[in-house]
Amino acid sequence: ITLQVYFFDMIMGVYQSLILIATLIISLKGDYCEFDQNWRASTYCIALGVLYTVSSHGSLLSIVMLSVVRCISVLSDNMIHIRCSFILWVSAALICFNVLNSIVPVIPLPYVQNL
């Protein structure tokens, strides 16, 4: 689980590096207001948004799962043993949910875009 947190934090570092590069490119071209609509509609902005959502929510979900497992193991009277395979399945499900959560808003469907 902690490896997931490291991975999502690494993705956040990549995101911040890419956003810095994009900011420098736009600032060198001149006025941002002229490029605002083009930038927001570009594939790069959409990809950075997905990358940001996956990394920030991925770290949060991993820490929440780690906290829940720790609380269950510490506070349980019967000393419930949580199997590693169960943790891996829940972790995989949370990662799939996280990726879907970040991709669905950028799908060019009329119903999704009007929400």
Side-chain angles (χ1 to χ4, degrees):
I1 294 174
T2 56
L3 184 61
Q4 288 177 359
V5 176
Y6 297 147
F7 175 72
F8 290 123
D9 287 345
M10 181 194 69
I11 291 176
M12 182 60 79
V14 170
Y15 165 78
Q16 290 176 346
S17 299
L18 292 175
I19 204 74
L20 176 67
I21 292 169
T23 304
L24 289 174
I25 289 171
I26 290 174
S27 68
L28 293 176
K29 285 187 174 183
D31 194 13
Y32 174 75
C33 294
E34 296 174 14
F35 300 104
D36 179 41
Q37 292 297 324
N38 292 335
W39 167 250
R40 291 183 188 205
S42 71
T43 307
Y44 299 115
C45 182
I46 291 170
L48 286 174
V50 169
L51 190 68
Y52 174 78
T53 305
V54 166
S55 64
S56 63
H57 292 169
S59 293
L60 180 66
L61 288 173
S62 298
I63 291 172
V64 165
M65 192 172 106
L66 185 65
S67 299
V68 168
V69 168
R70 183 163 294 202
C71 283
I72 289 172
S73 65
V74 168
L75 297 176
S76 66
D77 292 334
N78 299 333
M79 293 300 290
I80 299 172
H81 296 287
I82 300 173
R83 293 184 180 175
C84 186
S85 62
F86 176 75
I87 293 172
L88 290 176
W89 279 107
V90 171
S91 176
L94 288 175
I95 289 172
C96 290
F97 171 74
N98 184 19
V99 170
L100 285 175
N101 184 38
S102 63
I103 291 176
V104 166
V106 297
I107 295 174
L109 297 173
Y111 177 74
V112 174
Q113 295 298 324
N114 292 332
L115 292 179

